[in-house]
Structure formats: structure tokens, C-alpha cells
Amino acid sequence: MNTSSADTIWRVMTPDDLVPVLQLAGTCYPDYPEDAAIFAERLALAPEGCFVLERGGGLAGYLVSHPWKGALSVPLNTLLTHLPRLPDRWYIHDLALADTARGGGHARAGIALAENQARRRGLAWLSLTAIGPAVPFWLRQGFAPEPTCAKERAILAQYDASARLLSRAVDQSSTSS
């Protein structure tokens, strides 16, 4: 699926995109570093959930997402090794936009890409771990905090004191592709 406006387009991520994705991740999330192997594994495990935002011939954003099970965040900088056999949600691992790409609706379009994948699999929920500074953005997108157990609180503490596991129901009536 491609979504575009003028010289900006969301397209499927390829292995050739990993270096610029890592560079953008380092710029957008310097306090939340993840190894190159994390991004490569997510792309290998769930290529249908990985996209890049191209703008003017360069990378202006990326989305990494995959099937998941349960209301526990994915620990920071941790390999999954496999995806759950019976997922119950679609997990947005990362959505990042360069400063120059913000404010143009590209984040909403990225969220829609993840929601489309959830819908295709019949999953009822989108979930993500929102780092503290991003919590207000995600709340405006219709996500709400999940109840947290001690194990979840320990995972969230790896991110920051304000990190939250957020979820929202997938709109099953939408037919965007």
C-alpha cells in the first residue's frame, strides 16, 4: 500500500531502508536507543507492518509494527525471536517522523497503515508503548491507557517514568487499503 501527497509517500520498507531508519531513530529517539538487529528482526518477522515515508527522495519517517498478544509492552531493545501464534492485537513498535514531515497528517496515515494490518488479520486492538513526551499525541489519536500490572510497570520503567501502554479499538468498518 502506498499513501501519498505531492512528493511524500508511505511505501513498504525494504532491507535497504534500515540504515536511514536507524539514523532517523537516533535523531527522533536519542534517549531510547535500539540496536540495528531490532529493526532488522521486525522487518523480517512482519514485513507487512514496516513502512517508510519518502519525501523528496529521502527518508522522512518510518513505521514498524507487528502482531502481538496481551497487554504487555515490548521491552526496549529486545529481540522477539518469533511472533505470537494467536495474536490479539497489532502493536506499533515505532512511528517516527523527521521534523520536516510533521504537521502534514503523515502520522495519521502511518497509524492507518497499522490499523489496516490489524483489520486484515481480524485483530480488535492497536497497542503501543508511548514514551512520556509522546503520550499526549497518542491520546489525541484515540488511544487510552491499559491497566498495568507489576510486570508491565517494570517494562515501562525501561523507557521512562511517564511511559504508558496505550490501546484503541480497531475500526472494523473502514475499508481503506
Side-chain angles (χ1 to χ4, degrees):
M1 170 181 178
N2 290 334
T3 61
S4 64
S5 65
D7 68 339
T8 306
I9 184 170
W10 279 105
R11 65 162 175 81
V12 174
M13 185 185 293
T14 69
D16 291 340
D17 295 314
L18 289 173
V19 169
V21 162
L22 281 165
Q23 291 169 341
L24 184 58
T27 300
C28 292
Y29 304 120
D31 296 332
Y32 309 92
E34 291 194 295
D35 297 334
I38 302 302
F39 291 92
E41 181 198 56
R42 300 307 192 273
L43 178 58
L45 289 174
E48 71 279 13
C50 298
F51 298 87
V52 294
L53 181 68
E54 278 190 358
R55 181 179 226 177
L59 188 112
Y62 67 87
L63 167 69
V64 174
S65 65
H66 55 81
W68 195 237
K69 184 170 180 72
L72 280 179
S73 294
V74 175
L76 185 64
N77 200 34
T78 300
L79 292 170
L80 299 177
T81 68
H82 66 280
L83 294 174
R85 191 173 65 80
L86 298 171
D88 62 3
R89 63 193 63 228
W90 195 264
Y91 188 84
I92 298 174
H93 176 86
D94 256 352
L95 174 62
L97 297 175
D99 289 340
T100 58
R102 294 183 182 166
H106 303 300
R108 280 190 310 280
I111 295 166
L113 291 169
E115 189 165 33
N116 286 339
Q117 293 305 318
R119 192 177 303 105
R120 284 186 178 119
R121 290 191 176 227
L123 302 175
W125 296 98
L126 280 179
S127 295
L128 59 95
T129 303
I131 55 174
V135 169
F137 166 81
W138 291 107
L139 294 175
R140 287 191 306 272
Q141 307 312 307
F143 288 81
E146 289 270 1
T148 55
C149 62
K151 185 174 180 179
E152 174 63 9
R153 287 190 294 276
I155 294 169
L156 292 171
Q158 297 174 355
Y159 290 87
D160 63 50
S162 300
R164 298 289 176 264
L165 176 64
L166 305 176
S167 295
R168 82 172 196 200
V170 171
D171 178 2
Q172 297 295 340
S173 66
S174 181
T175 58
S176 49
S177 55

